[in-house]
Amino acid sequence: GHEGHDQIITFDMGGTSTDVALCPGRLPTTTRGEIAGMPLHLPIVDIHTVGAGGGSLAVVDAGGALHVGPASAGADPGPACYGRQDGDMPQPTTTDANLLLGRLHPDHFLGGTMHLHTERARRALVALAQAMRVPTPEAAAWGVLQVANATMERAIRRISVERGHDPRAFTLVAFGGAGPLHACDLAASLGIPRVIVPRIPGVLSALGMVVAAPTKDASRTVMLRWPEPGGTADPATHLASVLADLAASLTAAMAAEGHGADDLTVTRVLDMRYQGQSHELPVACPDPLPATESLAAAFHAAHRRRYGYDQPAAAVEMVTARVTATAPAVALGALDVPAATEAGAADLGQVNAWFDPAGPMPARLLARERLHPGEEIGGPAVLVQYDTTTVVPPGWTGHVTARGHLMLTAPGASETSQVW
Protein backbone atom coordinates (compact mmCIF):
# COMPACT_ATOMS: atom_id res chain seq x y z
CA GLY A 1 0.00 0.00 0.00
CA HIS A 2 2.89 2.37 0.75
CA GLU A 3 4.07 1.96 -2.84
CA GLY A 4 0.64 2.70 -4.35
CA HIS A 5 -0.20 -0.92 -5.19
CA ASP A 6 -3.15 -2.28 -3.24
CA GLN A 7 -4.07 -5.09 -5.66
CA ILE A 8 -1.41 -7.60 -4.66
CA ILE A 9 -0.66 -11.30 -4.61
CA THR A 10 1.65 -12.23 -1.74
CA PHE A 11 4.27 -14.90 -2.39
CA ASP A 12 6.11 -16.20 0.67
CA MET A 13 8.57 -18.97 -0.15
CA GLY A 14 10.57 -20.33 2.76
CA GLY A 15 12.49 -23.52 3.41
CA THR A 16 9.74 -26.13 3.27
CA SER A 17 6.60 -24.46 1.91
CA THR A 18 5.19 -21.57 -0.07
CA ASP A 19 2.24 -19.47 1.11
CA VAL A 20 0.26 -17.34 -1.35
CA ALA A 21 -2.71 -15.01 -0.85
CA LEU A 22 -4.69 -12.72 -3.13
CA CYS A 23 -5.42 -9.31 -1.60
CA PRO A 24 -7.86 -7.28 -3.74
CA GLY A 25 -7.38 -4.07 -1.75
CA ARG A 26 -8.04 -5.82 1.56
CA LEU A 27 -6.82 -8.65 3.76
CA PRO A 28 -8.63 -11.84 2.62
CA THR A 29 -10.24 -14.00 5.29
CA THR A 30 -12.20 -17.23 5.20
CA THR A 31 -14.08 -19.54 7.53
CA ARG A 32 -13.64 -22.53 5.21
CA GLY A 33 -9.91 -23.06 5.22
CA GLU A 34 -7.96 -26.29 5.40
CA ILE A 35 -4.64 -27.41 6.83
CA ALA A 36 -2.99 -30.57 5.46
CA GLY A 37 -6.25 -31.39 3.70
CA MET A 38 -8.33 -31.20 6.88
CA PRO A 39 -11.19 -28.67 7.01
CA LEU A 40 -10.87 -25.79 9.47
CA HIS A 41 -14.12 -23.86 9.96
CA LEU A 42 -12.63 -21.00 11.96
CA PRO A 43 -11.91 -17.42 10.86
CA ILE A 44 -8.41 -17.35 9.33
CA VAL A 45 -6.51 -15.29 6.78
CA ASP A 46 -7.21 -16.90 3.40
CA ILE A 47 -3.77 -18.31 2.59
CA HIS A 48 -3.07 -21.23 0.25
CA THR A 49 0.01 -23.35 1.03
CA VAL A 50 1.96 -25.82 -1.10
CA GLY A 51 4.98 -27.97 -0.29
CA ALA A 52 7.64 -26.14 -2.27
CA GLY A 53 10.58 -24.39 -0.59
CA GLY A 54 14.31 -23.98 -0.66
CA GLY A 55 14.83 -27.28 1.16
CA SER A 56 12.33 -29.30 -0.89
CA LEU A 57 13.87 -32.61 -1.96
CA ALA A 58 14.03 -33.49 -5.66
CA VAL A 59 13.34 -37.17 -6.35
CA VAL A 60 12.52 -39.34 -9.36
CA ASP A 61 9.65 -41.78 -8.83
CA ALA A 62 9.38 -45.35 -10.12
CA GLY A 63 7.78 -44.10 -13.33
CA GLY A 64 10.65 -41.72 -14.06
CA ALA A 65 8.79 -38.50 -13.15
CA LEU A 66 10.56 -35.72 -11.25
CA HIS A 67 8.99 -34.52 -7.99
CA VAL A 68 10.11 -31.54 -5.90
CA GLY A 69 8.67 -31.64 -2.35
CA PRO A 70 6.72 -31.90 -0.19
CA ALA A 71 9.47 -33.80 1.66
CA SER A 72 12.18 -31.38 2.79
CA ALA A 73 15.76 -31.48 3.99
CA GLY A 74 14.81 -28.84 6.57
CA ALA A 75 17.38 -26.51 8.08
CA ASP A 76 19.47 -29.31 9.57
CA PRO A 77 20.91 -31.21 7.74
CA GLY A 78 19.50 -28.90 5.07
CA PRO A 79 20.32 -28.86 1.35
CA ALA A 80 23.32 -30.78 0.07
CA CYS A 81 25.29 -27.53 -0.32
CA TYR A 82 25.13 -26.92 3.46
CA GLY A 83 27.62 -29.80 3.81
CA ARG A 84 25.69 -31.44 6.68
CA GLN A 85 24.07 -34.40 4.90
CA ASP A 86 25.71 -37.71 5.70
CA GLY A 87 27.38 -39.87 3.06
CA ASP A 88 28.86 -39.24 -0.36
CA MET A 89 25.51 -39.16 -2.17
CA PRO A 90 23.58 -36.22 -0.71
CA GLN A 91 19.98 -35.54 -1.72
CA PRO A 92 19.45 -32.50 -3.98
CA THR A 93 17.05 -29.66 -3.17
CA THR A 94 15.76 -26.51 -4.82
CA THR A 95 18.56 -24.54 -3.14
CA ASP A 96 21.18 -26.84 -4.68
CA ALA A 97 19.65 -26.29 -8.12
CA ASN A 98 19.74 -22.51 -7.68
CA LEU A 99 23.37 -22.67 -6.55
CA LEU A 100 24.54 -24.84 -9.43
CA LEU A 101 22.79 -22.53 -11.93
CA GLY A 102 24.56 -19.44 -10.55
CA ARG A 103 21.38 -17.95 -9.08
CA LEU A 104 22.82 -18.24 -5.56
CA HIS A 105 26.40 -17.21 -4.78
CA PRO A 106 28.39 -19.55 -2.53
CA ASP A 107 30.21 -16.66 -0.80
CA HIS A 108 27.22 -14.33 -0.34
CA PHE A 109 24.77 -16.53 1.57
CA LEU A 110 23.47 -15.11 4.86
CA GLY A 111 25.46 -11.97 4.18
CA GLY A 112 28.64 -13.97 3.65
CA THR A 113 28.47 -15.61 7.09
CA MET A 114 27.81 -19.08 5.63
CA HIS A 115 29.65 -20.71 2.75
CA LEU A 116 27.76 -22.99 0.36
CA HIS A 117 29.48 -26.10 -1.02
CA THR A 118 28.98 -26.05 -4.78
CA GLU A 119 30.66 -29.41 -5.31
CA ARG A 120 28.30 -31.20 -2.92
CA ALA A 121 25.35 -29.65 -4.76
CA ARG A 122 26.86 -30.80 -8.07
CA ARG A 123 27.38 -34.33 -6.75
CA ALA A 124 23.76 -34.54 -5.63
CA LEU A 125 22.52 -33.25 -8.98
CA VAL A 126 24.78 -35.61 -10.96
CA ALA A 127 22.98 -38.51 -9.29
CA LEU A 128 19.61 -36.88 -10.03
CA ALA A 129 20.60 -36.34 -13.68
CA GLN A 130 21.36 -40.05 -14.00
CA ALA A 131 17.96 -40.94 -12.53
CA MET A 132 16.27 -38.41 -14.85
CA ARG A 133 18.33 -39.63 -17.84
CA VAL A 134 19.48 -36.12 -18.74
CA PRO A 135 23.09 -35.42 -19.81
CA THR A 136 24.27 -32.86 -17.22
CA PRO A 137 23.66 -31.88 -13.59
CA GLU A 138 22.78 -28.40 -14.85
CA ALA A 139 19.97 -29.89 -16.96
CA ALA A 140 18.69 -31.69 -13.87
CA ALA A 141 18.91 -28.47 -11.86
CA TRP A 142 16.92 -26.61 -14.51
CA GLY A 143 14.28 -29.32 -14.33
CA VAL A 144 14.09 -28.98 -10.54
CA LEU A 145 13.43 -25.25 -10.84
CA GLN A 146 10.74 -25.78 -13.48
CA VAL A 147 8.90 -28.34 -11.35
CA ALA A 148 9.13 -26.17 -8.21
CA ASN A 149 7.94 -23.12 -10.16
CA ALA A 150 5.05 -25.10 -11.66
CA THR A 151 3.88 -26.11 -8.17
CA MET A 152 3.92 -22.48 -7.01
CA GLU A 153 2.30 -21.25 -10.23
CA ARG A 154 -0.59 -23.67 -9.68
CA ALA A 155 -1.00 -22.28 -6.17
CA ILE A 156 -1.29 -18.71 -7.49
CA ARG A 157 -3.71 -19.78 -10.23
CA ARG A 158 -5.87 -21.46 -7.61
CA ILE A 159 -6.33 -18.23 -5.62
CA SER A 160 -6.63 -15.98 -8.67
CA VAL A 161 -7.84 -17.45 -11.97
CA GLU A 162 -9.97 -20.13 -10.31
CA ARG A 163 -11.73 -17.44 -8.26
CA GLY A 164 -12.37 -15.07 -11.13
CA HIS A 165 -9.36 -12.75 -10.71
CA ASP A 166 -6.96 -11.93 -13.55
CA PRO A 167 -3.39 -12.09 -12.16
CA ARG A 168 -2.27 -9.55 -14.79
CA ALA A 169 -4.10 -6.87 -12.81
CA PHE A 170 -2.05 -7.58 -9.67
CA THR A 171 1.44 -6.94 -8.33
CA LEU A 172 3.41 -9.87 -6.91
CA VAL A 173 4.96 -9.13 -3.49
CA ALA A 174 7.80 -11.61 -2.96
CA PHE A 175 9.26 -12.39 0.43
CA GLY A 176 10.53 -15.24 2.56
CA GLY A 177 14.10 -16.45 2.26
CA ALA A 178 13.57 -17.95 -1.22
CA GLY A 179 10.67 -15.92 -2.67
CA PRO A 180 12.78 -13.29 -4.48
CA LEU A 181 14.81 -16.08 -6.15
CA HIS A 182 11.74 -17.31 -8.04
CA ALA A 183 9.43 -14.28 -8.18
CA CYS A 184 10.21 -12.90 -11.63
CA ASP A 185 9.98 -16.33 -13.28
CA LEU A 186 6.59 -16.91 -11.64
CA ALA A 187 5.36 -13.45 -12.63
CA ALA A 188 6.42 -14.04 -16.24
CA SER A 189 4.52 -17.36 -16.35
CA LEU A 190 1.36 -15.73 -15.01
CA GLY A 191 1.55 -12.45 -16.96
CA ILE A 192 2.00 -10.42 -13.76
CA PRO A 193 3.67 -7.15 -14.82
CA ARG A 194 5.35 -6.11 -11.55
CA VAL A 195 7.19 -7.61 -8.60
CA ILE A 196 7.92 -5.84 -5.31
CA VAL A 197 10.67 -7.20 -3.07
CA PRO A 198 10.44 -5.50 0.35
CA ARG A 199 13.48 -4.19 2.19
CA ILE A 200 13.57 -7.09 4.65
CA PRO A 201 11.90 -9.99 2.82
CA GLY A 202 13.29 -12.78 4.99
CA VAL A 203 11.57 -11.50 8.16
CA LEU A 204 8.58 -9.70 6.64
CA SER A 205 6.13 -12.26 8.06
CA ALA A 206 7.51 -11.72 11.57
CA LEU A 207 7.27 -7.95 11.12
CA GLY A 208 3.66 -8.36 9.98
CA MET A 209 2.81 -10.26 13.16
CA VAL A 210 4.24 -7.43 15.27
CA VAL A 211 2.31 -4.62 13.56
CA ALA A 212 -0.93 -6.50 12.82
CA ALA A 213 -4.15 -5.04 14.21
CA PRO A 214 -5.34 -6.81 17.42
CA THR A 215 -8.45 -8.78 16.44
CA LYS A 216 -10.97 -11.05 18.15
CA ASP A 217 -13.70 -13.14 16.55
CA ALA A 218 -16.87 -14.66 17.96
CA SER A 219 -19.48 -16.83 16.28
CA ARG A 220 -22.71 -18.64 17.09
CA THR A 221 -24.76 -21.13 15.10
CA VAL A 222 -28.28 -19.79 14.46
CA MET A 223 -29.78 -22.09 11.77
CA LEU A 224 -32.61 -19.75 10.73
CA ARG A 225 -34.59 -20.21 7.53
CA TRP A 226 -36.29 -17.60 5.35
CA PRO A 227 -39.06 -17.69 4.36
CA GLU A 228 -39.94 -19.62 7.52
CA PRO A 229 -42.26 -22.62 7.05
CA GLY A 230 -45.83 -21.66 7.82
CA GLY A 231 -45.13 -17.95 7.41
CA THR A 232 -43.90 -17.43 10.99
CA ALA A 233 -42.26 -14.19 12.15
CA ASP A 234 -39.25 -12.63 10.42
CA PRO A 235 -36.10 -14.11 12.07
CA ALA A 236 -34.35 -10.72 12.06
CA THR A 237 -35.30 -10.03 15.70
CA HIS A 238 -33.56 -13.16 16.98
CA LEU A 239 -30.60 -12.55 14.66
CA ALA A 240 -30.17 -8.99 15.92
CA SER A 241 -30.14 -10.25 19.51
CA VAL A 242 -27.45 -12.85 18.75
CA LEU A 243 -25.25 -10.29 16.97
CA ALA A 244 -25.61 -7.84 19.87
CA ASP A 245 -24.59 -10.53 22.39
CA LEU A 246 -21.53 -11.47 20.34
CA ALA A 247 -20.48 -7.82 19.95
CA ALA A 248 -20.86 -7.22 23.69
CA SER A 249 -18.69 -10.24 24.56
CA LEU A 250 -15.96 -9.07 22.16
CA THR A 251 -16.05 -5.50 23.46
CA ALA A 252 -15.56 -6.80 27.01
CA ALA A 253 -12.71 -9.10 25.94
CA MET A 254 -10.94 -6.27 24.10
CA ALA A 255 -11.45 -3.93 27.08
CA ALA A 256 -9.64 -6.47 29.27
CA GLU A 257 -6.63 -6.02 26.97
CA GLY A 258 -6.77 -2.23 27.18
CA HIS A 259 -8.73 -1.38 24.01
CA GLY A 260 -11.56 1.08 24.56
CA ALA A 261 -14.92 0.48 22.92
CA ASP A 262 -14.67 3.75 20.96
CA ASP A 263 -11.43 2.56 19.34
CA LEU A 264 -12.89 -0.69 18.01
CA THR A 265 -14.11 -1.44 14.52
CA VAL A 266 -16.87 -4.05 14.73
CA THR A 267 -17.92 -6.00 11.62
CA ARG A 268 -20.75 -8.52 11.40
CA VAL A 269 -21.13 -11.35 8.90
CA LEU A 270 -23.73 -14.03 8.32
CA ASP A 271 -22.85 -17.38 6.74
CA MET A 272 -25.76 -18.23 4.41
CA ARG A 273 -26.71 -21.00 1.97
CA TYR A 274 -29.61 -22.34 -0.02
CA GLN A 275 -31.57 -25.04 1.78
CA GLY A 276 -29.92 -28.36 1.00
CA GLN A 277 -26.44 -26.97 0.30
CA SER A 278 -23.49 -28.14 2.40
CA HIS A 279 -21.42 -24.95 2.04
CA GLU A 280 -22.07 -21.33 2.98
CA LEU A 281 -21.15 -17.88 1.66
CA PRO A 282 -20.47 -14.89 3.94
CA VAL A 283 -22.83 -11.91 3.70
CA ALA A 284 -22.10 -8.61 5.47
CA CYS A 285 -24.64 -7.55 8.10
CA PRO A 286 -24.97 -3.76 8.48
CA ASP A 287 -25.80 -2.18 11.83
CA PRO A 288 -28.70 -1.70 12.37
CA LEU A 289 -29.70 -5.01 10.84
CA PRO A 290 -31.84 -4.72 7.70
CA ALA A 291 -34.90 -6.84 6.99
CA THR A 292 -34.23 -10.50 6.25
CA GLU A 293 -35.43 -9.93 2.71
CA SER A 294 -32.49 -7.56 2.13
CA LEU A 295 -30.00 -10.09 3.57
CA ALA A 296 -31.43 -12.77 1.27
CA ALA A 297 -31.06 -10.47 -1.74
CA ALA A 298 -27.41 -9.84 -0.77
CA PHE A 299 -26.86 -13.61 -0.56
CA HIS A 300 -28.41 -14.18 -4.00
CA ALA A 301 -26.01 -11.57 -5.43
CA ALA A 302 -22.99 -13.12 -3.66
CA HIS A 303 -23.94 -16.59 -4.92
CA ARG A 304 -24.27 -15.25 -8.47
CA ARG A 305 -20.81 -13.62 -8.29
CA ARG A 306 -19.14 -16.75 -6.95
CA TYR A 307 -20.93 -19.49 -8.90
CA GLY A 308 -22.51 -17.72 -11.89
CA TYR A 309 -26.13 -18.35 -10.93
CA ASP A 310 -28.65 -17.84 -8.11
CA GLN A 311 -32.05 -19.24 -7.08
CA PRO A 312 -34.21 -16.31 -5.91
CA ALA A 313 -37.26 -18.56 -5.34
CA ALA A 314 -35.39 -21.04 -3.11
CA ALA A 315 -35.43 -20.97 0.69
CA VAL A 316 -32.34 -19.40 2.28
CA GLU A 317 -30.71 -20.66 5.48
CA MET A 318 -28.75 -18.43 7.85
CA VAL A 319 -26.27 -20.83 9.45
CA THR A 320 -23.74 -18.92 11.53
CA ALA A 321 -23.55 -15.37 12.87
CA ARG A 322 -20.02 -13.98 13.15
CA VAL A 323 -18.72 -10.77 14.72
CA THR A 324 -15.16 -9.40 14.55
CA ALA A 325 -13.72 -6.61 16.71
CA THR A 326 -10.52 -4.92 15.55
CA ALA A 327 -8.37 -2.37 17.39
CA PRO A 328 -6.08 0.09 15.57
CA ALA A 329 -2.90 -1.45 14.14
CA VAL A 330 0.49 -0.54 15.49
CA ALA A 331 1.98 2.26 13.39
CA LEU A 332 5.05 1.03 11.52
CA GLY A 333 7.91 3.44 11.82
CA ALA A 334 10.04 4.22 8.79
CA LEU A 335 12.75 1.64 8.21
CA ASP A 336 16.24 2.99 7.85
CA VAL A 337 16.85 3.73 4.19
CA PRO A 338 20.41 3.49 2.92
CA ALA A 339 22.12 6.81 2.30
CA ALA A 340 23.16 7.72 -1.19
CA THR A 341 26.43 6.05 -2.15
CA GLU A 342 28.84 6.50 -4.97
CA ALA A 343 27.79 5.15 -8.34
CA GLY A 344 28.78 1.53 -8.63
CA ALA A 345 29.23 1.02 -4.88
CA ALA A 346 26.89 -1.97 -4.99
CA ASP A 347 28.81 -3.77 -7.75
CA LEU A 348 30.39 -7.04 -6.64
CA GLY A 349 31.45 -8.18 -10.09
CA GLN A 350 29.79 -10.74 -12.34
CA VAL A 351 28.39 -14.25 -12.13
CA ASN A 352 27.44 -16.76 -14.80
CA ALA A 353 23.80 -17.56 -14.19
CA TRP A 354 21.20 -19.60 -16.03
CA PHE A 355 18.02 -17.83 -17.12
CA ASP A 356 16.99 -20.34 -19.79
CA PRO A 357 17.94 -23.96 -20.53
CA ALA A 358 20.31 -22.99 -23.35
CA GLY A 359 23.12 -22.10 -20.96
CA PRO A 360 24.53 -19.45 -18.61
CA MET A 361 25.11 -15.79 -19.33
CA PRO A 362 27.01 -13.05 -17.49
CA ALA A 363 24.92 -11.24 -14.87
CA ARG A 364 25.76 -8.37 -12.53
CA LEU A 365 26.25 -9.30 -8.88
CA LEU A 366 24.98 -6.49 -6.65
CA ALA A 367 24.95 -5.87 -2.90
CA ARG A 368 21.40 -4.76 -2.28
CA GLU A 369 22.14 -2.96 1.00
CA ARG A 370 24.40 -0.57 -0.93
CA LEU A 371 21.69 0.40 -3.40
CA HIS A 372 20.13 3.77 -2.61
CA PRO A 373 16.63 5.12 -3.34
CA GLY A 374 16.20 6.02 -7.00
CA GLU A 375 18.92 3.70 -8.26
CA GLU A 376 18.02 1.85 -11.46
CA ILE A 377 18.71 -1.82 -12.09
CA GLY A 378 18.61 -3.78 -15.33
CA GLY A 379 18.60 -7.53 -15.74
CA PRO A 380 20.25 -9.91 -15.86
CA ALA A 381 21.36 -9.37 -12.27
CA VAL A 382 21.64 -11.22 -8.96
CA LEU A 383 21.14 -9.08 -5.85
CA VAL A 384 22.47 -10.44 -2.57
CA GLN A 385 21.54 -9.39 0.96
CA TYR A 386 21.59 -11.06 4.39
CA ASP A 387 18.11 -12.61 4.30
CA THR A 388 17.55 -13.42 0.61
CA THR A 389 18.86 -13.34 -2.96
CA THR A 390 16.87 -11.63 -5.73
CA VAL A 391 17.16 -12.84 -9.33
CA VAL A 392 16.41 -10.26 -12.04
CA PRO A 393 16.12 -12.01 -15.44
CA PRO A 394 17.13 -10.44 -18.77
CA GLY A 395 14.71 -7.77 -19.96
CA TRP A 396 13.42 -7.00 -16.46
CA THR A 397 14.11 -3.53 -15.08
CA GLY A 398 13.80 -2.15 -11.61
CA HIS A 399 14.49 0.66 -9.22
CA VAL A 400 14.80 1.22 -5.50
CA THR A 401 11.86 3.16 -4.06
CA ALA A 402 12.06 5.99 -1.54
CA ARG A 403 11.40 3.48 1.26
CA GLY A 404 14.13 1.15 0.05
CA HIS A 405 11.87 -1.48 -1.54
CA LEU A 406 12.79 -3.02 -4.88
CA MET A 407 10.26 -2.49 -7.69
CA LEU A 408 10.79 -4.81 -10.68
CA THR A 409 8.95 -4.45 -13.99
CA ALA A 410 8.51 -7.15 -16.62
CA PRO A 411 9.72 -6.65 -20.21
CA GLY A 412 7.21 -4.60 -22.18
CA ALA A 413 5.22 -3.51 -19.09
CA SER A 414 5.18 -0.06 -17.58
CA GLU A 415 5.32 0.40 -13.81
CA THR A 416 1.69 1.54 -13.72
CA SER A 417 0.31 -0.66 -16.51
CA GLN A 418 -2.99 -2.45 -16.01
CA VAL A 419 -4.93 -4.78 -18.31
CA TRP A 420 -8.02 -2.58 -18.05
Side-chain angles (χ1 to χ4, degrees):
H2 286 159
E3 300 300 335
H5 298 274
D6 58 359
Q7 301 276 108
I8 64 171
I9 295 172
T10 63
F11 167 52
D12 177 6
M13 182 180 179
T16 59
S17 64
T18 292
D19 304 314
V20 296
L22 184 137
C23 306
R26 57 179 173 80
L27 186 68
T29 58
T30 182
T31 56
R32 300 189 64 85
E34 64 176 50
I35 294 179
M38 302 299 290
L40 182 68
H41 286 203
L42 293 171
I44 57 172
V45 178
D46 193 2
I47 295 173
H48 181 55
T49 302
V50 291
S56 292
L57 293 171
V59 296
V60 175
D61 66 15
L66 174 64
H67 297 265
V68 180
S72 173
D76 189 5
C81 60
Y82 283 15
R84 297 178 188 151
Q85 292 188 21
D86 294 330
D88 292 330
M89 199 59 65
Q91 292 182 285
T93 66
T94 310
T95 295
D96 297 307
N98 274 306
L99 177 63
L100 193 63
L101 297 179
R103 299 160 72 95
L104 280 173
H105 195 287
D107 299 324
H108 293 280
F109 192 73
L110 283 182
T113 61
M114 180 177 176
H115 177 75
L116 298 181
H117 301 267
T118 306
E119 281 311 308
R120 285 190 67 83
R122 179 180 297 277
R123 199 177 313 156
L125 286 157
V126 164
L128 184 68
Q130 292 170 350
M132 291 173 60
R133 299 181 180 178
V134 295
T136 65
E138 288 81 6
W142 185 260
V144 170
L145 294 192
Q146 301 320 298
V147 171
N149 285 344
T151 299
M152 296 183 289
E153 182 184 338
R154 281 196 302 273
I156 294 177
R157 288 189 185 279
R158 179 167 174 178
I159 61 162
S160 59
V161 176
E162 292 183 19
R163 297 182 185 178
H165 297 279
D166 188 339
R168 295 174 298 173
F170 287 78
T171 296
L172 190 68
V173 180
F175 51 104
L181 267 170
H182 295 256
C184 289
D185 290 337
L186 273 182
S189 297
L190 292 157
I192 298 174
R194 289 169 305 278
V195 171
I196 294 177
V197 182
R199 274 283 311 283
I200 47 173
V203 293
L204 191 71
S205 292
L207 178 65
M209 290 292 290
V210 171
V211 303
T215 301
K216 288 187 181 296
D217 299 282
S219 63
R220 188 179 301 171
T221 302
V222 290
M223 287 306 296
L224 299 169
R225 190 184 307 168
W226 188 87
E228 281 281 357
T232 54
D234 190 317
T237 303
H238 176 64
L239 192 56
S241 174
V242 170
L243 290 167
D245 287 348
L246 293 174
S249 68
L250 288 181
T251 301
M254 293 293 267
E257 297 183 5
H259 304 292
D262 292 340
D263 296 330
L264 300 180
T265 300
V266 178
T267 56
R268 312 182 316 165
V269 169
L270 195 59
D271 289 349
M272 302 176 68
R273 68 189 182 193
Y274 289 120
Q275 185 178 354
Q277 284 184 324
S278 59
H279 56 275
E280 299 85 43
L281 283 176
V283 175
C285 291
D287 189 12
L289 191 68
T292 310
E293 185 176 359
S294 297
L295 289 173
F299 168 70
H300 294 315
H303 198 280
R304 190 165 57 250
R305 280 194 303 271
R306 184 63 180 266
Y307 299 111
Y309 74 98
D310 60 349
Q311 297 175 294
V316 173
E317 289 180 335
M318 291 154 275
V319 180
T320 307
R322 302 183 186 277
V323 178
T324 300
T326 305
V330 177
L332 176 62
L335 297 172
D336 291 335
V337 176
T341 53
E342 296 177 11
D347 282 324
L348 296 174
Q350 280 191 340
V351 292
N352 284 322
W354 293 61
F355 298 97
D356 64 61
M361 67 174 63
R364 295 172 69 195
L365 183 66
L366 299 169
R368 184 177 173 186
E369 66 273 8
R370 297 181 199 164
L371 296 172
H372 58 81
E375 192 155 352
E376 301 291 331
I377 299 148
V382 175
L383 282 65
V384 293
Q385 63 188 97
Y386 181 81
D387 53 340
T388 196
T389 296
T390 303
V391 170
V392 185
W396 282 73
T397 57
H399 76 273
V400 182
T401 71
R403 293 175 179 266
H405 305 307
L406 185 60
M407 182 79 69
L408 301 172
T409 305
S414 69
E415 188 180 314
T416 57
S417 64
Q418 297 285 349
V419 295
W420 42 62

